[in-house]
Amino acid sequence: MKKVLLGVLGAGLILLPTVAASSSFEEFQQQQRQGLQQFQQDFDAAFQAYQDAFNEAFAAYQEELRAHWQEPLLTDRHTWVEYSQDQSSRSIVDFQANQIRIEIDSEKSGGSADAAVELLVDVINRPVDEAVERDEVTQRAIEKAGLPSESLGTQGQKRVLNEVQPEHAEQMMNEAEVSQRQEPAPDGSQREVIVLTVPLPPSRTTDKAREYLPLIKRHAKHYDIEPALMLAIMHSESSFNPMARSHIPAFGLMQIVPGSAGRDVAQVVYGEDRVFSPSYLYNPDNNVRAGAVYLDILNSRYLRQIEHPESRLYAVIAAYNTGAGNVARTFTGGSTSPAQAARIINEMQPKDVYDQLRAQLPYEETRNYLDHVARRTLAYREFE
């Protein structure tokens, strides 16, 4: 039987029968396709199970809170919310409004604002890892989905409000406003809620950007991403809130989705598909690296055929929010092929690319996102 030379391994030749080689290769390809298809299905099922667990935990906890609060607030991208164990008081850190608001049942506190002051000091001192442990939605979802609860390491020992010095709490109290409001109690009567509103330092955003800049620079350099772009995205995604969480769900400073972007990132960082746990993504080091990796994937893989760096930058910003397929559709009229879109984009000036994205991206959120991140990138170039 004739032999076919396939290659050289070390100093030896690999010789296989022609017919057998052809047959074996076709079988191998078929097995690979089936294996990849099954792996994709398993991954999708694992993420869907986590997404379902998160949605169920979110809805259940929100319903529990309705027994105590007319408006049951929960942590989102720009707000970090914690409740006391009996759910009668809560701390709300609003990073966009740049303030902390402590709300407490007047009856539970004996009508005194002292309990609110204690909660203020408590929230200022809260380390990230403890904040994750106290997050009921996250912990319930992790348990139900069977995801690992990973250590946050030294990054977890930093305070969520690391930019606010604990010794300044007394000074902050001098600027605080104490008020009361009436709202329905669980038994149908009216109750009084004491509200303590404390402004965060005016320089908080700048201070937080400086805090994360060394981490950003390290990962940006490794993956060849502009630090100013990462700062702008972090600012826009989470207002530098390390406890940021969206309904998708996405987690942390750069708002990484464990399923879609997380899968691509895991392939680069670990060489395998994996569903990142929330505790993994709440680790600022992991989160910033994941953001840098995903930006590199968009820039050097999905959108690499866009020739002009400025045009590609606008496409990358939009794709970070809505995906490369939706960016492509903006230029092709329907196709989600980035390569097809690149051919059109390469015939346009960067300003025209920006204008078309701003006018025709499928979601208003992404259109506004592009504007905010592009402007902030310019500003953070001066910041560096």
Side-chain angles (χ1 to χ4, degrees), residues 27-319:
E27 291 176 1
F28 172 76
Q29 283 187 312
Q30 179 65 19
Q31 290 171 356
Q32 287 291 97
R33 283 193 293 268
Q34 291 175 347
L36 288 171
Q37 185 178 22
Q38 184 61 51
F39 196 84
Q40 176 68 57
Q41 290 173 352
D42 291 345
F43 180 89
D44 290 344
F47 179 63
Q48 186 62 53
Y50 172 65
Q51 206 166 28
D52 291 344
F54 176 85
N55 290 336
E56 184 178 322
F58 187 96
Y61 189 53
Q62 190 175 52
E63 190 58 34
E64 286 178 26
L65 294 172
R66 290 188 195 282
H68 301 273
W69 298 93
Q70 188 176 22
E71 185 182 6
L73 302 174
L74 288 170
T75 293
D76 60 25
R77 289 167 52 200
H78 304 283
T79 310
W80 168 43
V81 184
E82 275 195 354
Y83 287 84
S84 61
Q85 191 169 2
D86 66 0
Q87 300 177 352
S88 67
S89 62
R90 62 187 181 187
S91 308
I92 305 157
V93 183
D94 188 329
F95 293 99
Q96 286 187 313
N98 208 42
Q99 67 178 19
I100 303 172
R101 196 167 71 252
I102 307 295
E103 300 184 351
I104 188 165
D105 189 322
S106 176
E107 184 177 337
K108 298 284 185 179
S109 67
S112 167
D114 291 345
V117 175
E118 289 179 13
L119 283 176
L120 172 65
V121 174
D122 191 40
V123 78
I124 288 174
N125 283 290
R126 180 84 68 237
V128 174
D129 53 6
E130 189 178 321
V132 174
E133 284 293 324
R134 290 170 59 94
D135 187 327
E136 283 288 331
V137 173
T138 294
Q139 294 305 321
R140 293 181 189 189
I142 286 175
E143 183 177 357
K144 186 170 181 61
L147 290 172
S149 185
E150 304 179 40
S151 169
L152 277 73
T154 57
Q155 287 288 329
Q157 295 165 21
K158 291 185 176 181
R159 291 178 297 110
V160 177
L161 295 173
N162 205 46
E163 68 279 18
V164 180
Q165 298 306 312
E167 59 267 25
H168 294 162
E170 185 175 343
Q171 178 183 339
M172 293 171 67
M173 282 302 304
N174 293 332
E175 303 174 19
E177 293 182 5
V178 180
S179 59
Q180 292 84 32
R181 73 163 185 266
Q182 298 289 321
E183 67 173 51
D187 61 4
S189 63
Q190 289 290 307
R191 69 166 184 171
E192 185 177 78
V193 175
I194 296 175
V195 182
L196 179 71
T197 305
V198 185
L200 286 165
S203 62
R204 191 207 76 86
T205 301
T206 301
D207 294 341
K208 211 66 176 173
R210 291 197 187 283
E211 177 186 339
Y212 290 122
L213 186 57
L215 194 59
I216 285 173
K217 282 186 172 181
R218 174 156 57 88
H219 292 302
K221 181 178 181 181
H222 187 79
Y223 294 104
D224 195 24
I225 300 296
E226 185 181 8
L229 173 60
M230 292 188 66
L231 281 167
I233 286 177
M234 190 183 291
H235 187 158
S236 302
E237 290 284 354
S238 66
S239 298
F240 300 103
N241 170 19
M243 293 302 299
R245 185 185 68 213
S246 76
H247 65 283
I248 296 174
F251 297 94
L253 295 161
M254 302 286 288
Q255 282 295 277
I256 304 299
V257 180
S260 53
R263 183 186 183 195
D264 285 341
V265 170
Q267 278 287 353
V268 172
V269 176
Y270 298 104
E272 64 180 16
D273 287 1
R274 65 163 67 177
V275 177
F276 286 135
S277 69
S279 50
Y280 177 93
L281 293 173
Y282 278 132
N283 182 317
D285 193 5
N286 293 341
N287 198 281
V288 172
R289 176 173 60 176
V293 170
Y294 189 54
L295 285 168
D296 179 48
I297 289 169
L298 292 172
N299 185 64
S300 61
R301 187 190 304 177
Y302 294 142
L303 301 167
R304 69 184 183 281
Q305 291 172 291
I306 300 176
E307 295 170 356
H308 198 291
E310 187 178 344
S311 296
R312 192 165 64 252
L313 172 65
Y314 297 143
V316 166
I317 291 170

